């Protein structure tokens, strides 16, 4: 994939990879870029352009993943981006898949029991997925923000007792993979759906599931390979854990 | 073919290694392609089913490499005769992209063992029995007892079921069983 740079027009970045549209939206940038460059738009929105470039270049590009560079950015910036991504899943992508599923049930023959089975499985996946997001938002991210505050030079002396008993080690252990269920759902729709059903809607659902999978893959990579190591380093230097 | 298999490329020439890696990803469907720039003794433990080696690395470590049971492909810069698909196979890296893809295809085909013939096979009756019990909520130990087979056998059935159906989770298997009428909703615990 073409490497995106600061002087490139934002519109061209989208032409190069349209899957970036929701990623860019997460930064609060909406369509209608005109001739503006990535750099222009980032400064308009007060976004760190290097961070923005690292995120969009790493998106879905397994071979280009500047871990060492991403690890130099502030954890606050990273957490903010991760939270925005959660919001996108919860408020946009999952509801859109849900609507399509409702539509599928509506438009297909009532006699087709298999669709209800699929819907039930999706509901299970959604429940698990949302629980995952919520856990990170209520425990992991606030913890990371606290660590960051303590890490700031002036505040280093602040008592450590307020901190909840949590660590990156725990995060690592509990950071389960939710993508297996998603994979199964996709595969079952592709291989085993049967009876009377609306093929166009079903295809659209599969399309959205692939998109979700790709986005989640990128998201988890940032959590596992960027957030965890940076915060673990901070824990070490704050002597929260034995080095 | 190469579908789902791991590959390791050992070459000091990164550009060559990356080029090969992207050809493998573009035309075949490997699971994972790792690149190492030099020979290291942990090669033995690497999961790769195919190991591509630059010819100088192969020559320098020929003895050690002979002990490795994986399929070896040596990257050369000259034309080979027809016998060059045997282990170790040779690949002339000066060929055009189309020719390279053809040669790789031949190498992979030659080495596709019998195990690949049953890739698309349907579930066996025993596997269906295991699947139904998994879908109904039984754990491996209970399944072993019910069917009077060892735990190890249950696990190997489950592995095969997952491979054949491409379904990884228990609830996914339950959904499959429901969709195919192997169980009824009331059977799910
Ligand atoms: Fe997350
Ligand atoms: Fe996560």
């Amino acid at each position: 994939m073409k490497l995106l740079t600061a002087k490139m027009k934002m519109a061209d970045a989208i032409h190069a990879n349209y899957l970036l549209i929701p990623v860019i939206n997460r930064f609060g940038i909406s369509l209608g870029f005109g001739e503006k460059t990535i750099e222009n738009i980032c400064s308009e929105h007060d976004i760190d352009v290097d961070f923005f470039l690292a995120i969009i270049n790493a998106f879905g590009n397994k071979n280009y993943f500047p871990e060492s560079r991403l690890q130099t950015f502030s954890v606050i910036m990273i957490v903010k981006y991760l939270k925005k991504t959660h919001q996108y899943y919860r408020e946009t992508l999952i509801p859109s898949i849900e609507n399509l599923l409702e539509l599928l049930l509506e438009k297909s023959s009532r006699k087709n029991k298999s669709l209800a089975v699929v819907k039930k499985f999706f509901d299970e996946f959604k429940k698990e997925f949302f629980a995952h997001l919520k856990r990170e938002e209520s425990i992991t991210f606030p913890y990371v923000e606290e660590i960051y505050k303590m890490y700031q030079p002036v505040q280093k002396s602040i008592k450590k007792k307020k901190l909840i008993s949590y660590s990156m080690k725990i995060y690592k252990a509990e950071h389960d993979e939710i993508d297996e269920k998603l994979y199964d759902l996709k595969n079952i729709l592709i291989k085993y759906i049967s009876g009377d059903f609306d093929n166009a809607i079903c295809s659209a659902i599969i399309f959205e599931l692939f998109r979700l999978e790709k986005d989640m893959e990128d998201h988890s990579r940032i959590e596992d390979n960027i957030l965890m190591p940076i915060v673990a380093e901070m824990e070490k230097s704050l002597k929260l854990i034995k080095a | 073919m190469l579908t789902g298999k791991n590959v390791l490329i050992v070459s000091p020439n990164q550009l060559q290694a990356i080029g090969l890696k992207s050809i493998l990803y573009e035309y075949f469907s490997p699971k994972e392609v790792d690149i190492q720039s030099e020979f290291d003794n942990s090669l033995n433990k690497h999961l790769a089913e195919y190991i591509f080696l630059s010819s100088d690395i192969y020559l320098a470590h020929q003895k050690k490499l002979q002990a490795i049971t994986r399929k070896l492909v040596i990257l050369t810069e000259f034309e080979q005769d027809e016998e060059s698909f045997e282990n170790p196979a040779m690949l002339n890296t000066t060929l055009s992209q189309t020719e390279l893809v053809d040669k790789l295809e031949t190498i992979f085909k030659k080495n596709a063992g019998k195990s690949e013939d049953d890739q698309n096979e349907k579930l066996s009756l025993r596997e269906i029995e295991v699947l139904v019990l998994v879908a109904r909520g039984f754990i491996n130990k209970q399944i072993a007892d019910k069917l009077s087979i060892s735990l190890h056998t249950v696990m190997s059935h489950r592995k095969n079921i997952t491979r054949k159906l491409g379904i990884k989770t228990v609830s996914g298997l339950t959904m499959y069983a429901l969709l195919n009428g192997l169980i009824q909703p009331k059977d799910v615990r």
Side-chain angles (χ1 to χ4, degrees):
Chain A
M1 209 175 295
K2 214 198 287 177
L3 205 59
L4 308 169
T5 58
K7 305 278 181 212
M8 199 178 256
K9 284 182 191 168
M10 186 68 91
D12 291 339
I14 302 298
H15 280 298
N17 180 9
Y18 66 94
L19 292 174
L20 285 175
I21 294 175
V23 179
I24 287 173
N25 290 341
R26 266 164 235 171
F27 282 90
I29 303 170
S30 2
L31 298 169
F33 311 124
E35 310 305 319
K36 288 176 193 155
T37 63
I38 291 180
E39 195 175 41
N40 294 152
I41 292 183
C42 281
S43 75
E44 267 175 26
H45 287 79
D46 204 18
I47 296 163
D48 184 311
V49 66
D50 290 326
F51 180 66
F52 181 81
L53 284 170
I55 292 285
I56 61 173
N57 276 317
F59 187 80
N61 194 352
K62 252 193 183 165
N63 298 321
Y64 175 83
F65 198 66
E67 278 174 28
S68 54
R69 194 167 350 136
L70 273 166
Q71 286 181 7
T72 65
F73 296 112
S74 139
V75 287
I76 297 300
M77 214 144 65
I78 297 169
V79 165
K80 191 176 161 199
Y81 173 74
L82 293 172
K83 281 184 186 165
K84 281 282 183 193
T85 314
H86 284 193
Q87 193 186 351
Y88 169 71
Y89 296 150
R90 196 163 32 217
E91 292 173 13
T92 309
L93 198 43
I94 293 288
S96 130
I97 297 171
E98 221 165 9
N99 287 342
L100 283 168
L101 271 167
E102 300 284 348
L103 205 63
L104 179 68
L105 285 166
E106 228 171 80
K107 291 265 170 102
S108 309
S109 155
R110 293 217 175 269
K111 274 178 277 169
N112 193 342
K113 295 263 191 327
S114 71
L115 300 175
V117 176
V118 171
K119 177 73 170 68
K120 194 169 160 265
F121 186 83
F122 174 81
D123 290 341
E124 238 176 78
F125 161 73
K126 179 185 150 186
K127 205 172 134 200
E128 219 173 275
F129 183 40
F130 280 14
H132 179 112
L133 303 181
K134 193 154 181 249
R135 169 90 185 157
E136 286 175 341
E137 286 162 15
S138 60
I139 307 285
T140 317
F141 297 162
Y143 169 82
V144 168
E145 285 160 350
E146 273 311 302
I147 290 280
Y148 174 79
K149 266 190 225 153
M150 286 171 55
Y151 191 72
Q152 297 314 298
V154 268
Q155 308 211 8
K156 250 188 180 162
S157 55
I158 277 186
K159 16 188 181 343
K160 293 165 187 167
K161 63 166 196 250
K162 271 200 287 181
L163 216 56
I164 54 161
S165 72
Y166 191 70
S167 70
M168 283 300 109
K169 211 176 149 193
I170 299 176
Y171 183 35
K172 192 174 180 169
E174 72 178 13
H175 202 217
D176 48 351
E177 300 197 358
I178 24 180
D179 51 348
E180 284 198 341
K181 268 218 168 92
L182 182 58
Y183 177 88
D184 284 355
L185 179 57
K186 237 173 52 191
N187 204 21
I188 280 182
L189 286 175
I190 295 169
K191 286 165 80 173
Y192 304 117
I193 188 127
S194 61
D196 203 0
F197 64 90
D198 188 314
N199 190 55
I201 299 174
C202 200
S203 305
I205 293 172
I206 294 169
F207 203 86
E208 291 294 82
L209 292 175
F210 270 105
R211 217 156 62 75
L212 174 62
E213 182 179 58
K214 196 175 154 95
D215 205 302
M216 272 168 59
E217 214 175 84
D218 184 79
H219 179 81
S220 303
R221 242 176 341 151
I222 296 176
E223 290 175 339
D224 292 334
N225 303 348
I226 311 298
L227 189 67
M228 268 182 215
I230 309 180
V231 179
E233 267 311 304
M234 290 178 171
E235 284 173 339
K236 227 189 255 172
S237 76
L238 286 167
K239 301 211 169 40
L240 290 172
I241 51 161
K242 284 172 203 104
Chain B
M1 292 286 278
L2 200 61
T3 309
K5 293 188 174 149
N6 288 302
V7 176
L8 173 64
I9 303 170
V10 189
S11 167
N13 182 341
Q14 288 294 293
L15 210 48
Q16 180 187 68
I18 295 164
L20 177 58
K21 179 177 175 174
S22 66
I23 288 181
L24 292 177
Y25 273 121
E26 192 171 348
Y27 293 91
F28 306 95
S29 306
K31 191 165 167 219
E32 211 75 67
V33 178
D34 279 346
I35 294 178
Q36 286 175 9
S37 55
E38 52 197 295
F39 183 87
D40 100 44
N41 285 320
S42 66
L43 210 65
N44 257 323
K45 291 183 204 107
H46 200 281
L47 289 172
E49 274 153 277
Y50 282 90
I51 302 178
F52 288 80
L53 298 141
S54 70
S55 48
D56 34 338
I57 287 181
Y58 176 72
L59 291 174
H61 302 279
Q62 208 164 357
K63 276 228 176 73
K64 276 182 198 155
L65 285 164
Q66 269 163 2
I68 288 184
T69 51
R70 261 67 59 78
K71 178 73 197 165
L72 301 179
V73 184
I74 303 163
L75 304 170
T76 68
E77 285 176 15
F78 49 82
E79 202 51 58
Q80 300 94 32
D81 48 32
E82 285 308 300
E83 301 308 304
S84 60
F85 299 114
E86 300 302 315
N87 205 14
M90 308 273 222
L91 182 66
N92 176 3
T93 55
T94 65
L95 296 174
S96 73
Q97 181 159 344
T98 317
E99 289 171 310
L100 278 170
V101 172
D102 282 350
K103 285 267 194 270
L104 284 167
E105 194 182 4
T106 315
I107 291 173
F108 298 145
K109 259 191 197 152
K110 282 250 156 92
N111 289 285
K114 285 206 181 91
S115 65
E116 245 165 78
D117 299 339
D118 58 38
Q119 281 248 321
N120 301 313
E121 207 185 47
K122 286 185 179 160
L123 294 182
S124 71
L125 285 174
R126 195 51 142 185
E127 283 159 357
I128 292 176
E129 270 182 306
V130 172
L131 169 68
V132 165
L133 291 171
V134 171
R136 287 177 55 196
F138 291 100
I139 58 169
N140 289 347
K141 179 77 184 63
Q142 293 169 314
I143 297 172
D145 289 347
K146 274 189 174 282
L147 299 179
S148 308
I149 52 178
S150 73
L151 194 58
H152 180 81
T153 312
V154 176
M155 308 230 277
S156 96
H157 283 313
R158 287 197 60 169
K159 246 179 145 174
N160 287 331
I161 294 168
T162 292
R163 179 177 56 79
K164 288 181 183 174
L165 302 180
I167 300 174
K168 298 173 181 173
T169 65
V170 170
S171 42
L173 291 172
T174 306
M175 175 161 62
Y176 173 87
L178 282 167
L179 289 178
N180 289 280
L182 296 172
I183 57 170
Q184 298 305 313
K186 63 172 167 50
D187 298 331
V188 183
R189 299 206 292 190

